[in-house]
Amino acid sequence: MERAAVFDVDGTLVDTNHLHVIAWWEALRQAGHRVPMHAVHRAVGLASSDLVAHLLGEDRDTGRDEELSAAHKALYGQYFDRLPALPDAGRLLKRLHRDGWTVVLATSAGGAELSALRRAIDADEAIAATASADDVTEGKPAPEPVEHALELAGVPAERAVFVGDTVWDMRAGSRAGVRCVGVLCGGIPRADLEEAGAETVYDDPAHLLASLSDGPLA
């Protein structure tokens, strides 16, 4: 039977979380909001509208949500030509592909941002499909991004593993019924990932690659 390895991208395969923190912090600052960077960091991984709601609350002026999202996108877009892949990210995907896994990306990124991320990973030949923000109505921690990735792979949840770096990833994967693997390279503590549903936690893609023989992706 086919088996699927589903990957989050930001903070999992590409070292972008703190770039997102800076871009969101500046977008919020320009709009007159003072939000601590540590709070922004913990919200990274949510879809833009959900991130703004999480940071500013339900009583905010929702009419400015699109303005904030556009400001973040413009600020973050300055880094598109130099997004850094995490160690061995591309090698990990290629190895899994050779081992018979169907590799699918599940990310809140879309459009030019997703293209920039894929260029950074440099493993297009190993990626069977991508479930992006353009394809779902609800982002993580809802299960829809992971469920859509499984549909694209044609694999049931019990034959899949989801790898991510945030509590939102772990909650989405758990709600979709897949085994969840956490990585620490996004900056979220091990205990938080485990509490949110991570079965195993690795340092980064290089650590996961080195541990393939005795891990969930064996």
Side-chain angles (χ1 to χ4, degrees), residues 10-24:
D10 282 298
T12 300
L13 297 172
V14 187
D15 193 11
T16 52
N17 279 10
H18 291 86
L19 299 178
H20 277 297
V21 170
I22 292 167
W24 274 116

Side-chain angles (χ1 to χ4, degrees), residues 63-136:
R64 300 197 67 185
D65 284 7
E66 288 189 15
E67 178 185 337
L68 284 167
S69 180
H72 162 263
K73 185 177 293 186
L75 290 160
Y76 181 66
Q78 299 175 72
Y79 302 108
F80 279 3
D81 63 348
R82 55 190 186 279
L83 297 180
L86 283 154
D88 284 345
R91 286 185 61 207
L92 173 61
L93 300 193
K94 292 173 186 176
R95 168 67 183 276
L96 291 170
H97 175 66
R98 290 198 304 271
D99 287 351
W101 290 84
T102 300
V103 177
V104 182
L105 306 182
T107 173
S108 58
E113 180 182 347
L114 178 57
S115 297
L117 291 164
R118 290 186 64 145
R119 285 196 302 272
I121 299 166
D122 191 24
D124 275 355
E125 66 272 26
I127 300 169
T130 300
S132 77
D134 303 328
D135 305 319
V136 297

Side-chain angles (χ1 to χ4, degrees), residues 108-193:
S108 58
E113 180 182 347
L114 178 57
S115 297
L117 291 164
R118 290 186 64 145
R119 285 196 302 272
I121 299 166
D122 191 24
D124 275 355
E125 66 272 26
I127 300 169
T130 300
S132 77
D134 303 328
D135 305 319
V136 297
T137 56
E138 281 192 275
K140 305 163 192 169
E144 189 178 351
V146 180
E147 292 170 345
H148 183 54
L150 298 179
E151 291 173 5
L152 293 172
V155 172
E158 61 269 20
R159 297 283 300 170
V161 176
F162 178 47
V163 183
D165 69 297
T166 68
V167 296
W168 319 115
D169 292 325
M170 299 301 101
R171 290 175 185 171
S174 296
R175 291 169 183 172
V178 304
R179 300 172 70 186
C180 295
V181 171
V183 287
L184 299 173
C185 43
I188 301 302
R190 178 186 300 270
D192 290 13
L193 296 174

